[in-house]
Amino acid sequence: MDVEVSDTATFLAGVHPYDSLLPDELTKVASAFREVECEAGAPIYTLGERLDGLYVVAEGRVDVRDRNGALVSILGPRNSFGERGLLRDGTAATTAMAQSETRLLLLPAEEFRRLVAARPAFARFFDRSRPSETRTPDLATTRIADLMTPHPITCTPSTTVAEAAGLMRDKQVSCLLVLQDSRLVGIVTNRDLVKRALAEGLPTDAPITEAMSPEPITLAPGALGSDVLHAMLERRIGHLPVVEGKRVIGVVTQTDLTRHQAVSSAHLVREIADAENSQALASVVSRIPDLLAQLVGAGNPHWVATRLITDIADAATRRLLRLAEEELGPPPVPYLWLACGSQGRQEQTGVSDQDNCLFLSEDARPEHDGYFEALAKFVSDGLDACGYYYCPGEMMATTTRWRQPVQVWRDYFAGWIRKPDPMAQMLASVMFDLRPIGGEESLFRDVMSETLALAASNSIFVAHMVANALSHAPPLGLLRGFATIRSGEHKDTLDLKLNGVVPVVDLGRIYAIQGQVEAANTRQRLEAAQKAGIVSASGGRDLIAAYDLIAETRLRHQVARVRAGEKPDNFMSPAALSDFERSHLRDAFVVVKTMQSAIAHGRAAVL
């Protein structure tokens, strides 16, 4: 194979929809492309001009403008353009110009049309038309269970490269999941076959384990389409297995996603992935209030909006970890950065502090702490620069106590459960919301399930956690009014965080302990508690509805401040609500109070 064609094929194997092609066809398509070099400011085509073909950005940036000269897109590597005009009448529907020195790959118009006609994946990807009589759900709010391909094609680790390629050809799929005793151990894609088998000259009888990507990232069926898109953009992958518990139930590919749009949050994640320093990250994260306003204004439920907002923090954290490693060098032992608090629960809003910690490999030695102290400082300082201010209680990886080997963390949890004094209760409340963000996720494997089992079996610990949760009371006053803050800067307002969502968050955490539910997200905990019978069906429905109302009132308040040019906060005056809204909000607080009373008496509420 020609070296230039091989390089093009390797590049295209990571670009959708070319990743759906089998190696032989990918090589054929790659040979049809030709390179186009453009200087900064050079036009690529102008409106109405006959198009030579479809363009793919290999390096550089491209501006696309409409007929009025308005900028409609800024494209980077792996982005395609020109398809709209090619599918219409062959002439450019926009004007494209190189923003910087740019290298493009050009697929001739005839070959493009052949692929669209012959390959459904190409037709689905490039046909942006939408039927006028139906409305396609937004990717960002669609659950993966509704997007995935169920019953994925699988193979075993002993399958040979040739057998795997034949299976993919026969089943017309672009990936195989590698299972060992029903456990997912790897994934092999067309890109893997090109890069690791074909390009490296791997023998056809070699086991597929030599070509596969081991321990692939997975998502649960309840995750959002945006979770898939963000993971694909950040990690440059095109396939994600869907796992329920430890059972593989499906796979999501870019083909499933590309007709949908999650433009705003995905664009920020992409910019974060390319940021070169904390200042660039801060510039991206500063647009979160506008994103929040857009999400809430579009009618997205609170649990979708906060999930997308949290995705930005996750991406920023992972980018800072990579930048830290570039500056400090590779870590001396494996580590895992975890978030707790609202980031851990995927419930961040327009104002958030940072709560995080580090799990270190058991191979960590005292002399390694200097590296991890520097890494923690780099990341925490970067997050603070982005607006995720330092935790007032120093619940951060910069504190030595929260930067320890895994066994020390196991001992922490065991100690808090065994002796639940007030400090232990507070610490456990925070640390039960842990969620891995970046690093070696196997370090967290089984820690939470073991801790939940230990906690659920200790009735004294659970009782103390209940008592701690009841310290956060809904703001109910006499005569069907609200108990507002009595003095200070926020006098006559409701704290929609501390007295609004936190009481429900505390309830969800206790339900998670009682039912050994590993989910950190509050709404998922409430749903799991209802499903498991930890709360009654009616009590669960009402509590979820109350939580939704309180959380969405909080977000609408923050958005109102954003639109007024003010910083979002959690302090809302009841006077800002109509009588109808005040009545319903108070009813929601009553539901929360009733559920608190029920758990205080050790029973499931029946409302």
Side-chain angles (χ1 to χ4, degrees):
M1 185 191 305
D2 183 88
V3 173
E4 185 173 321
V5 172
S6 176
D7 290 343
T8 301
T10 300
F11 174 81
L12 292 174
V15 180
H16 193 71
Y18 309 96
D19 59 355
S20 66
L21 300 174
L22 292 173
D24 288 347
E25 187 169 8
L26 179 61
T27 300
K28 178 182 176 182
V29 172
S31 66
F33 275 90
R34 63 180 175 86
E35 285 194 5
V36 177
E37 301 282 349
C38 300
E39 295 180 355
I44 300 167
Y45 58 68
T46 57
L47 180 71
E49 185 177 301
R50 177 64 57 178
L51 290 167
D52 293 330
L54 178 77
Y55 293 88
V56 182
V57 183
E59 296 174 0
R61 298 279 179 175
V62 173
D63 281 352
V64 179
R65 297 180 180 274
D66 66 14
R67 63 176 59 251
N68 298 312
L71 184 66
V72 294
S73 293
I74 300 177
L75 306 177
R78 294 180 170 82
N79 290 147
S80 300
F81 60 103
E83 71 276 7
R84 181 181 167 195
L86 288 171
L87 290 172
R88 191 182 60 178
D89 60 2
T91 62
T94 55
T95 295
M97 178 177 292
Q99 185 186 58
S100 61
E101 188 171 303
T102 299
R103 182 169 65 89
L104 304 171
L105 296 177
L106 174 63
L107 181 67
E110 296 77 17
E111 180 66 6
F112 169 76
R113 294 190 179 97
R114 183 191 72 80
L115 286 170
V116 169
R119 303 289 301 190
F122 276 72
R124 287 195 300 269
F125 180 78
F126 289 113
D127 184 3
R128 303 296 200 267
S129 63
R130 297 176 181 268
S132 59
E133 67 275 10
T134 60
R135 182 176 179 180
T136 304
D138 180 20
L139 169 63
T141 62
T142 303
R143 295 201 176 196
I144 291 178
D146 298 322
L147 292 171
M148 71 180 188
T149 299
H151 313 299
I153 308 301
T154 66
C155 68
T156 66
S158 61
T159 301
T160 67
V161 169
E163 289 169 342
L167 184 58
M168 293 168 70
R169 177 199 61 208
D170 295 341
K171 298 294 185 180
Q172 286 292 296
V173 295
S174 58
C175 74
L176 294 176
L177 303 186
V178 185
L179 304 185
Q180 184 171 38
D181 299 326
S182 301
R183 185 175 71 87
L184 180 68
V185 296
I187 184 172
V188 59
T189 67
N190 285 329
R191 182 182 184 184
D192 293 326
L193 291 178
V194 170
K195 292 182 66 175
R196 296 175 182 159
L198 187 61
E200 297 296 330
L202 199 64
T204 58
D205 60 352
I208 199 62
T209 50
E210 294 187 29
M212 74 179 189
S213 297
E215 299 294 332
I217 180 176
T218 64
L219 289 172
L224 300 177
S226 62
D227 295 330
V228 181
L229 183 57
H230 293 171
M232 288 179 174
L233 287 169
E234 189 176 355
R235 293 172 171 83
R236 303 289 193 262
I237 56 177
H239 305 76
L240 276 170
V242 182
V243 176
E244 189 170 45
K246 295 183 179 180
R247 184 171 61 93
V248 175
I249 63 171
V251 64
V252 179
T253 71
Q254 289 182 344
T255 303
D256 302 314
L257 308 181
T258 50
R259 288 180 297 162
H260 301 273
Q261 291 183 349
V263 176
S264 298
S265 57
H267 183 68
L268 294 185
V269 168
R270 184 173 63 188
E271 287 191 37
I272 285 171
D274 293 335
E276 296 183 356
N277 50 51
S278 59
Q279 291 76 22
L281 282 173
S283 176
V284 178
V285 174
S286 68
R287 282 140 53 195
I288 281 181
D290 293 333
L291 174 60
L292 178 65
Q294 176 183 331
L295 292 169
V296 174
N300 288 292
H302 72 92
W303 55 271
V304 170
T306 55
R307 179 83 69 87
L308 297 178
I309 295 299
T310 306
D311 285 346
I312 307 303
D314 290 355
T317 303
R318 284 189 286 266
R319 183 57 182 156
L320 285 166
L321 287 169
R322 285 193 287 272
L323 291 172
E325 289 187 17
E326 289 175 8
E327 180 170 307
L328 301 173
V333 294
Y335 72 88
L336 176 63
W337 184 282
L338 302 98
C340 44
S342 60
Q343 185 182 1
R345 297 190 305 273
Q346 296 180 297
E347 294 167 6
Q348 288 191 317
T349 63
V351 52
S352 296
D353 63 353
Q354 55 175 293
D355 299 284
N356 46 61
C357 62
L358 275 172
F359 277 29
L360 306 180
S361 164
E362 289 303 318
D363 296 327
R365 298 290 178 264
E367 58 268 24
H368 297 153
D369 189 58
Y371 177 93
F372 291 110
E373 180 181 14
L375 180 138
K377 185 176 188 306
F378 185 101
V379 176
S380 289
D381 287 351
L383 290 173
D384 182 71
C386 289
Y388 303 105
Y389 56 88
Y390 299 118
C391 173
E394 297 186 345
M395 300 287 290
M396 299 181 297
T398 50
T399 301
T400 305
R401 187 180 185 185
W402 310 132
R403 190 175 66 242
Q404 294 293 332
V406 174
Q407 186 55 51
V408 174
W409 280 99
R410 293 180 189 272
D411 293 342
Y412 283 166
F413 279 108
W416 296 332
I417 293 167
R418 184 174 58 251
K419 186 180 179 182
D421 58 31
M423 178 59 72
Q425 295 168 36
M426 186 275 290
L427 294 174
S429 294
V430 174
M431 295 304 179
F432 268 106
D433 297 345
L434 284 175
R435 182 172 61 88
I437 302 298
E440 182 52 62
E441 293 198 15
S442 64
L443 295 176
F444 192 59
R445 188 175 298 157
D446 300 327
V447 171
M448 190 51 64
S449 60
E450 293 171 5
T451 301
L452 287 168
L454 187 63
S457 65
N458 190 320
S459 59
I460 294 176
F461 173 76
V462 175
H464 277 82
M465 289 292 289
V466 169
N468 182 64
L470 298 180
S471 65
H472 299 124
L476 291 169
L478 300 176
L479 302 176
R480 294 194 59 78
F482 296 107
T484 58
I485 298 172
R486 295 183 177 182
S487 60
E489 178 186 359
H490 303 296
K491 182 180 179 182
D492 297 329
T493 65
L494 302 174
D495 187 337
L496 292 174
K497 177 182 177 182
L498 187 62
N499 301 115
V501 298
V502 167
V504 187
V505 169
D506 289 341
L507 287 172
R509 188 180 298 114
I510 294 169
Y511 298 150
I513 293 172
Q514 292 174 328
Q516 299 183 46
V517 175
E518 294 190 36
N521 179 264
T522 297
R523 204 174 192 279
Q524 291 178 6
R525 285 171 166 174
L526 299 181
E527 290 172 341
Q530 182 183 16
K531 183 177 181 180
I534 297 169
V535 296
S536 69
S538 59
R541 282 195 303 270
D542 286 350
L543 182 57
I544 291 172
Y547 177 56
D548 289 346
L549 178 61
I550 296 166
E552 287 173 8
T553 300
R554 179 191 183 200
L555 289 186
R556 287 198 300 271
H557 163 72
Q558 292 191 359
V559 167
R561 289 184 60 84
V562 169
R563 289 173 175 164
E566 301 171 325
K567 290 185 177 181
D569 67 16
N570 296 301
F571 302 98
M572 184 194 73
S573 170
L577 302 175
S578 68
D579 290 343
F580 178 84
E581 291 169 330
R582 282 197 295 271
S583 176
H584 279 263
L585 182 59
R586 191 182 189 284
D587 288 344
F589 289 143
V590 169
V591 170
V592 177
K593 185 68 175 178
T594 303
M595 298 300 284
Q596 285 184 326
S597 177
I599 203 168
H601 290 85
R603 58 182 172 83
V606 180
L607 299 179

